[in-house]
Amino acid sequence: MKKTLTIVSISASLFLGIVGGASAQKSKVRYADQQMELMNYQHAIEQYKEAYAKKPSYDVAKKVAEAYDKVRDYDQSYEWWSNVVAYEEEVEQSDFANLLSAAQLTDKRAEALSLIQARGVSADSLDVEDLITVSSRKKVKLENVSELNSEASDFSLEEDANGNQFFVSDRGGSYSSEMPGLRIDGRNKFFSDEKNDFTDREYFSIYKKNEEGEITEVMSNVPGTFNFSDPSFAKEAGILFYSVTRDIKKVRKTREIVVQPEIYYSKVNENGELEGFTPFTFNDSLGHAVMHPFVDEEAKRLYFTSDMEGSLGGYDIFYSEYDEEMNFSPPVNLGSQVNTDGNETHPFRKGDKFYFSSSGHPRVGGLDVYVADYTSSGVSNVQNMGMPINSSADDFGYREMEDGEVYLSSNRNGGMGLDDIYLMEDVYKQFLARVIDCEGVIINDSYMATLRDETQNGNVTTQRNAKGELTAELEPDSDFSIRISKPGYFTITADDISTKGFEGDTLKKEYKLSPIPYQLPVFVDIVYYDLDKYVIREDAKEALDKIAEVMNKYTFLDLLVASHTDSRASDEYNITLSNNRAQAVTEYMAQYNISADRIRLEWFGEQNLVNDCGNGVPCPDVDHQLNRRSELVLEAFPDPTKQYDIPEELKDMDFCKPEDIFDMVQKDINDIPTIYFDFDKSMLRSVHKQDLERTAIMLQRLPNLMLFIEGHTDQRGDDAYNESLSERRADVVKEYLIKRGIEENRMEHKWFGETKPIHDCSTGTCTEAMHQLNRRTELRLEKGAFTYTGRQKKVDTM
């Protein structure tokens, strides 16, 4: 069980108490009361406990509990407040509050609440400051520095410019508190030259550990030094600042004197010895404490702890600016952002962060470590550093060394001694993820990232660094998943993050957010209807069957059905007829389990004729037939209001090239028409006008496509004639599509005459059917710059 103190052991324990005597005839309780007044708390505790052992009472139990509160032995404090509240007749409301306060510092709150409620007291009626419960803001583990620590108190690590370590310890041992062990002065007052009456232990001293691991005591050359503590180096100047309490002989005759700690500084020679000493300008050993110096060489400031005039309450942190000759400016209180009506101690700055300990800010335990934002104009945004940096005990002396190692002092359970020095080590792995767009630029605007620890079954907090990268701290030996979403982009889900077996410090990943190509057309076809009918014809079923097969394979595809009529009959009638034709497609697709909500219907009546066969215009039926149609468009990701995950069948696809989706579907359908011609003719057949209608619709719906038109002939006729004939056959296809609204610059036509036959008929052995296959114009679609509209953006083909 620890019997130590922190703000007390590091500040008040530095006080030099001159103790008033007590005659042997006085009771132990009265004698212990005197020791409490003179801050000889450890000695008082022993006297109180002896008195209680002889005659237990409420008053003495309460005095023991209060004494343990003074020395911050929280376990013993809790035990003795438990004894106090057992006295049912004498117990006061404040005793229950003290019990609950001690319980919060020993992780026994639930036990204390049960005890309090059993006595019929409401916890809500108790004026008790709730301690905060926080997770670590820096995921670390604390390793006890065994080569520095002892069974005594060891704390406040510092390094000099040569890498030697300096720390404070009272490792000389403890002393008996019996009266014969004390030297009696001439006025019946006693004073110990060997030990601290506050703790019954040797006075604190500074120790040095060199690079060979040898530990030696550093000797103060300030006359009459008792406590010698708080080392802080001005490395450039070769000066050590420190705190001392001194034996001031002339005040020993005064009955009740407290000698306060002071700050001194000395030159350090090549052997590491102190040369000379100079008091800090604002010391006042009989008026106020000045201690815990920290030299900020960059800002030329000396930070320190004091209860001097201008303090907000308890001990506050001040600073004084200095020049090359160590002239110090008047102290400046750091203000209410840092200082409270509690105690603030052990200042330290590194870069743009300021660290200190406090008992006045919301805390985990007794004395906690805090971090704040630092600028030359002030310190702000104070944050508790959380567990495990802080504990239910006292935590102080935060120091970050030049090599990045961070040390902390604490009297938490599990240490080697009273106060121990701990090394903070990052055991958690750093996670760094670049979330980029299709051009490889880091996305730093709004997106949602959820990182989950699948092993620990909980979410992991993520942040963005100055570059916009996603960062987090990962538990060791765990597997993780991540989900990244942004409106208009595919949601990324991945489970490729693991710290199992990972030996590096930072686990790096890169994720590409790709825009969703909403309503991307990937296939177009047309089905035709008989006059005044909406029944699906036999010649239309093959196209619909093929589309149903593709839709069942790719769940991210929906079907747009745009239905039309010819111009015969009234406008109102034709609107209804085109609606019925669209509905007929829906009903046909139901047999393949294609639900109606995957089919989007549009109907236009006679509004969008493909030719000049309008009202009253005489046209052959083959031309009217071209208008009696339903255009079928397969669209990927059809709902522009929906946030899509990447479909399972497209997991390996690069969505920065959405035309790859078109390629994939085309491979399944592979239905680019070839236009055939009669012998020695370049006139389009009626059947091929339907093929070109489908080609026109495809080009209109798929603005990324280029059409290559290649004209050919059979091998009958001379070369020159056949070349001209193939040119006319290519031209007639191009001209038809231009009339259908296809831009000329999206088509390239060539002609080859008889040079590229399907069948070589130069020997004259071909059938008429073989000659027919040679009389053709071939169509070939290729992707150009891929462009899409709506909520999409332009993506260049890679």
PDB file of all heavy atoms in Angstrom, residues 27-46:
ATOM      1  N   SER A  27      -1.811  14.199  25.888  1.00  0.00           N
ATOM      2  CA  SER A  27      -2.362  12.997  25.254  1.00  0.00           C
ATOM      3  C   SER A  27      -1.837  12.867  23.834  1.00  0.00           C
ATOM      4  O   SER A  27      -1.417  13.848  23.212  1.00  0.00           O
ATOM      5  CB  SER A  27      -3.887  13.056  25.241  1.00  0.00           C
ATOM      6  OG  SER A  27      -4.314  14.058  24.324  1.00  0.00           O
ATOM      7  N   LYS A  28      -1.855  11.636  23.344  1.00  0.00           N
ATOM      8  CA  LYS A  28      -1.412  11.391  21.983  1.00  0.00           C
ATOM      9  C   LYS A  28      -2.267  12.154  20.979  1.00  0.00           C
ATOM     10  O   LYS A  28      -1.775  12.636  19.965  1.00  0.00           O
ATOM     11  CB  LYS A  28      -1.462   9.896  21.675  1.00  0.00           C
ATOM     12  CG  LYS A  28      -0.374   9.077  22.360  1.00  0.00           C
ATOM     13  CD  LYS A  28      -0.436   7.641  21.923  1.00  0.00           C
ATOM     14  CE  LYS A  28       0.680   6.828  22.577  1.00  0.00           C
ATOM     15  NZ  LYS A  28       2.011   7.243  22.102  1.00  0.00           N
ATOM     16  N   VAL A  29      -3.547  12.285  21.252  1.00  0.00           N
ATOM     17  CA  VAL A  29      -4.412  12.975  20.299  1.00  0.00           C
ATOM     18  C   VAL A  29      -4.051  14.433  20.219  1.00  0.00           C
ATOM     19  O   VAL A  29      -3.933  15.011  19.125  1.00  0.00           O
ATOM     20  CB  VAL A  29      -5.887  12.801  20.693  1.00  0.00           C
ATOM     21  CG1 VAL A  29      -6.785  13.679  19.817  1.00  0.00           C
ATOM     22  CG2 VAL A  29      -6.305  11.343  20.571  1.00  0.00           C
ATOM     23  N   ARG A  30      -3.864  15.062  21.402  1.00  0.00           N
ATOM     24  CA  ARG A  30      -3.527  16.488  21.371  1.00  0.00           C
ATOM     25  C   ARG A  30      -2.160  16.700  20.728  1.00  0.00           C
ATOM     26  O   ARG A  30      -1.960  17.644  19.962  1.00  0.00           O
ATOM     27  CB  ARG A  30      -3.547  17.039  22.792  1.00  0.00           C
ATOM     28  CG  ARG A  30      -3.331  18.545  22.841  1.00  0.00           C
ATOM     29  CD  ARG A  30      -3.532  19.070  24.226  1.00  0.00           C
ATOM     30  NE  ARG A  30      -3.309  20.516  24.256  1.00  0.00           N
ATOM     31  CZ  ARG A  30      -3.387  21.258  25.360  1.00  0.00           C
ATOM     32  NH1 ARG A  30      -3.712  20.677  26.519  1.00  0.00           N
ATOM     33  NH2 ARG A  30      -3.164  22.561  25.301  1.00  0.00           N
ATOM     34  N   TYR A  31      -1.261  15.806  21.025  1.00  0.00           N
ATOM     35  CA  TYR A  31       0.064  15.897  20.424  1.00  0.00           C
ATOM     36  C   TYR A  31      -0.027  15.723  18.902  1.00  0.00           C
ATOM     37  O   TYR A  31       0.593  16.462  18.133  1.00  0.00           O
ATOM     38  CB  TYR A  31       0.967  14.821  21.025  1.00  0.00           C
ATOM     39  CG  TYR A  31       2.327  14.727  20.366  1.00  0.00           C
ATOM     40  CD1 TYR A  31       3.249  15.758  20.508  1.00  0.00           C
ATOM     41  CD2 TYR A  31       2.672  13.610  19.605  1.00  0.00           C
ATOM     42  CE1 TYR A  31       4.494  15.672  19.894  1.00  0.00           C
ATOM     43  CE2 TYR A  31       3.908  13.517  18.991  1.00  0.00           C
ATOM     44  CZ  TYR A  31       4.823  14.555  19.143  1.00  0.00           C
ATOM     45  OH  TYR A  31       6.054  14.479  18.541  1.00  0.00           O
ATOM     46  N   ALA A  32      -0.854  14.749  18.452  1.00  0.00           N
ATOM     47  CA  ALA A  32      -1.030  14.534  17.015  1.00  0.00           C
ATOM     48  C   ALA A  32      -1.687  15.743  16.350  1.00  0.00           C
ATOM     49  O   ALA A  32      -1.358  16.105  15.218  1.00  0.00           O
ATOM     50  CB  ALA A  32      -1.866  13.283  16.776  1.00  0.00           C
ATOM     51  N   ASP A  33      -2.630  16.396  17.067  1.00  0.00           N
ATOM     52  CA  ASP A  33      -3.252  17.609  16.521  1.00  0.00           C
ATOM     53  C   ASP A  33      -2.193  18.680  16.246  1.00  0.00           C
ATOM     54  O   ASP A  33      -2.250  19.378  15.218  1.00  0.00           O
ATOM     55  CB  ASP A  33      -4.288  18.166  17.496  1.00  0.00           C
ATOM     56  CG  ASP A  33      -5.542  17.311  17.582  1.00  0.00           C
ATOM     57  OD1 ASP A  33      -5.755  16.489  16.666  1.00  0.00           O
ATOM     58  OD2 ASP A  33      -6.306  17.470  18.555  1.00  0.00           O
ATOM     59  N   GLN A  34      -1.234  18.805  17.168  1.00  0.00           N
ATOM     60  CA  GLN A  34      -0.166  19.783  16.971  1.00  0.00           C
ATOM     61  C   GLN A  34       0.683  19.431  15.743  1.00  0.00           C
ATOM     62  O   GLN A  34       1.062  20.307  14.960  1.00  0.00           O
ATOM     63  CB  GLN A  34       0.715  19.856  18.211  1.00  0.00           C
ATOM     64  CG  GLN A  34       0.017  20.465  19.429  1.00  0.00           C
ATOM     65  CD  GLN A  34       0.894  20.428  20.654  1.00  0.00           C
ATOM     66  OE1 GLN A  34       1.778  19.575  20.770  1.00  0.00           O
ATOM     67  NE2 GLN A  34       0.649  21.340  21.583  1.00  0.00           N
ATOM     68  N   GLN A  35       0.958  18.154  15.569  1.00  0.00           N
ATOM     69  CA  GLN A  35       1.746  17.737  14.416  1.00  0.00           C
ATOM     70  C   GLN A  35       0.990  18.015  13.103  1.00  0.00           C
ATOM     71  O   GLN A  35       1.602  18.377  12.091  1.00  0.00           O
ATOM     72  CB  GLN A  35       2.088  16.251  14.505  1.00  0.00           C
ATOM     73  CG  GLN A  35       2.818  15.853  15.792  1.00  0.00           C
ATOM     74  CD  GLN A  35       3.969  16.795  16.096  1.00  0.00           C
ATOM     75  OE1 GLN A  35       4.894  16.943  15.300  1.00  0.00           O
ATOM     76  NE2 GLN A  35       3.912  17.441  17.250  1.00  0.00           N
ATOM     77  N   MET A  36      -0.329  17.865  13.125  1.00  0.00           N
ATOM     78  CA  MET A  36      -1.126  18.191  11.947  1.00  0.00           C
ATOM     79  C   MET A  36      -1.011  19.676  11.621  1.00  0.00           C
ATOM     80  O   MET A  36      -0.849  20.061  10.452  1.00  0.00           O
ATOM     81  CB  MET A  36      -2.600  17.819  12.169  1.00  0.00           C
ATOM     82  CG  MET A  36      -2.881  16.333  12.127  1.00  0.00           C
ATOM     83  SD  MET A  36      -2.670  15.607  10.467  1.00  0.00           S
ATOM     84  CE  MET A  36      -4.000  16.414   9.597  1.00  0.00           C
ATOM     85  N   GLU A  37      -1.072  20.523  12.637  1.00  0.00           N
ATOM     86  CA  GLU A  37      -0.976  21.962  12.404  1.00  0.00           C
ATOM     87  C   GLU A  37       0.383  22.330  11.818  1.00  0.00           C
ATOM     88  O   GLU A  37       0.492  23.259  11.015  1.00  0.00           O
ATOM     89  CB  GLU A  37      -1.194  22.725  13.712  1.00  0.00           C
ATOM     90  CG  GLU A  37      -2.622  22.632  14.252  1.00  0.00           C
ATOM     91  CD  GLU A  37      -2.771  23.312  15.593  1.00  0.00           C
ATOM     92  OE1 GLU A  37      -1.777  23.931  16.041  1.00  0.00           O
ATOM     93  OE2 GLU A  37      -3.863  23.237  16.183  1.00  0.00           O
ATOM     94  N   LEU A  38       1.411  21.576  12.203  1.00  0.00           N
ATOM     95  CA  LEU A  38       2.758  21.857  11.721  1.00  0.00           C
ATOM     96  C   LEU A  38       3.101  21.045  10.471  1.00  0.00           C
ATOM     97  O   LEU A  38       4.251  21.021  10.047  1.00  0.00           O
ATOM     98  CB  LEU A  38       3.765  21.559  12.829  1.00  0.00           C
ATOM     99  CG  LEU A  38       3.606  22.433  14.081  1.00  0.00           C
ATOM    100  CD1 LEU A  38       4.531  21.948  15.179  1.00  0.00           C
ATOM    101  CD2 LEU A  38       3.877  23.883  13.756  1.00  0.00           C
ATOM    102  N   MET A  39       2.085  20.369   9.913  1.00  0.00           N
ATOM    103  CA  MET A  39       2.226  19.597   8.676  1.00  0.00           C
ATOM    104  C   MET A  39       3.141  18.393   8.819  1.00  0.00           C
ATOM    105  O   MET A  39       3.659  17.877   7.843  1.00  0.00           O
ATOM    106  CB  MET A  39       2.698  20.478   7.514  1.00  0.00           C
ATOM    107  CG  MET A  39       1.692  21.546   7.134  1.00  0.00           C
ATOM    108  SD  MET A  39       2.112  22.438   5.606  1.00  0.00           S
ATOM    109  CE  MET A  39       3.646  23.185   6.064  1.00  0.00           C
ATOM    110  N   ASN A  40       3.320  17.907  10.030  1.00  0.00           N
ATOM    111  CA  ASN A  40       4.041  16.646  10.248  1.00  0.00           C
ATOM    112  C   ASN A  40       3.015  15.509  10.173  1.00  0.00           C
ATOM    113  O   ASN A  40       2.752  14.798  11.141  1.00  0.00           O
ATOM    114  CB  ASN A  40       4.737  16.644  11.605  1.00  0.00           C
ATOM    115  CG  ASN A  40       5.767  17.741  11.719  1.00  0.00           C
ATOM    116  OD1 ASN A  40       6.365  18.136  10.720  1.00  0.00           O
ATOM    117  ND2 ASN A  40       5.966  18.261  12.920  1.00  0.00           N
ATOM    118  N   TYR A  41       2.459  15.323   8.990  1.00  0.00           N
ATOM    119  CA  TYR A  41       1.283  14.482   8.853  1.00  0.00           C
ATOM    120  C   TYR A  41       1.554  13.016   9.143  1.00  0.00           C
ATOM    121  O   TYR A  41       0.756  12.325   9.782  1.00  0.00           O
ATOM    122  CB  TYR A  41       0.709  14.619   7.432  1.00  0.00           C
ATOM    123  CG  TYR A  41       0.253  16.015   7.100  1.00  0.00           C
ATOM    124  CD1 TYR A  41       0.587  16.593   5.876  1.00  0.00           C
ATOM    125  CD2 TYR A  41      -0.508  16.753   8.000  1.00  0.00           C
ATOM    126  CE1 TYR A  41       0.170  17.877   5.558  1.00  0.00           C
ATOM    127  CE2 TYR A  41      -0.928  18.033   7.688  1.00  0.00           C
ATOM    128  CZ  TYR A  41      -0.582  18.603   6.470  1.00  0.00           C
ATOM    129  OH  TYR A  41      -0.994  19.862   6.162  1.00  0.00           O
ATOM    130  N   GLN A  42       2.668  12.501   8.662  1.00  0.00           N
ATOM    131  CA  GLN A  42       2.933  11.088   8.855  1.00  0.00           C
ATOM    132  C   GLN A  42       3.084  10.763  10.337  1.00  0.00           C
ATOM    133  O   GLN A  42       2.569   9.749  10.815  1.00  0.00           O
ATOM    134  CB  GLN A  42       4.187  10.681   8.076  1.00  0.00           C
ATOM    135  CG  GLN A  42       4.332   9.185   7.859  1.00  0.00           C
ATOM    136  CD  GLN A  42       3.215   8.603   7.017  1.00  0.00           C
ATOM    137  OE1 GLN A  42       2.836   9.186   6.005  1.00  0.00           O
ATOM    138  NE2 GLN A  42       2.680   7.469   7.431  1.00  0.00           N
ATOM    139  N   HIS A  43       3.776  11.628  11.047  1.00  0.00           N
ATOM    140  CA  HIS A  43       3.929  11.429  12.490  1.00  0.00           C
ATOM    141  C   HIS A  43       2.580  11.537  13.184  1.00  0.00           C
ATOM    142  O   HIS A  43       2.266  10.760  14.092  1.00  0.00           O
ATOM    143  CB  HIS A  43       4.910  12.472  13.042  1.00  0.00           C
ATOM    144  CG  HIS A  43       5.239  12.286  14.489  1.00  0.00           C
ATOM    145  ND1 HIS A  43       5.506  11.067  15.054  1.00  0.00           N
ATOM    146  CD2 HIS A  43       5.354  13.201  15.491  1.00  0.00           C
ATOM    147  CE1 HIS A  43       5.762  11.215  16.340  1.00  0.00           C
ATOM    148  NE2 HIS A  43       5.681  12.506  16.639  1.00  0.00           N
ATOM    149  N   ALA A  44       1.748  12.487  12.738  1.00  0.00           N
ATOM    150  CA  ALA A  44       0.424  12.641  13.331  1.00  0.00           C
ATOM    151  C   ALA A  44      -0.421  11.393  13.119  1.00  0.00           C
ATOM    152  O   ALA A  44      -1.143  10.957  14.029  1.00  0.00           O
ATOM    153  CB  ALA A  44      -0.266  13.860  12.733  1.00  0.00           C
ATOM    154  N   ILE A  45      -0.332  10.809  11.927  1.00  0.00           N
ATOM    155  CA  ILE A  45      -1.114   9.597  11.638  1.00  0.00           C
ATOM    156  C   ILE A  45      -0.757   8.482  12.614  1.00  0.00           C
ATOM    157  O   ILE A  45      -1.647   7.798  13.159  1.00  0.00           O
ATOM    158  CB  ILE A  45      -0.871   9.151  10.178  1.00  0.00           C
ATOM    159  CG1 ILE A  45      -1.569  10.112   9.213  1.00  0.00           C
ATOM    160  CG2 ILE A  45      -1.365   7.723   9.946  1.00  0.00           C
ATOM    161  CD1 ILE A  45      -1.222   9.867   7.751  1.00  0.00           C
ATOM    162  N   GLU A  46       0.531   8.299  12.850  1.00  0.00           N
ATOM    163  CA  GLU A  46       0.949   7.233  13.760  1.00  0.00           C
ATOM    164  C   GLU A  46       0.400   7.474  15.166  1.00  0.00           C
ATOM    165  O   GLU A  46      -0.056   6.532  15.829  1.00  0.00           O
ATOM    166  CB  GLU A  46       2.471   7.155  13.774  1.00  0.00           C
ATOM    167  CG  GLU A  46       3.059   6.705  12.443  1.00  0.00           C
ATOM    168  CD  GLU A  46       4.573   6.719  12.455  1.00  0.00           C
ATOM    169  OE1 GLU A  46       5.139   7.054  13.513  1.00  0.00           O
ATOM    170  OE2 GLU A  46       5.182   6.405  11.407  1.00  0.00           O
TER     171      GLU A  46
END
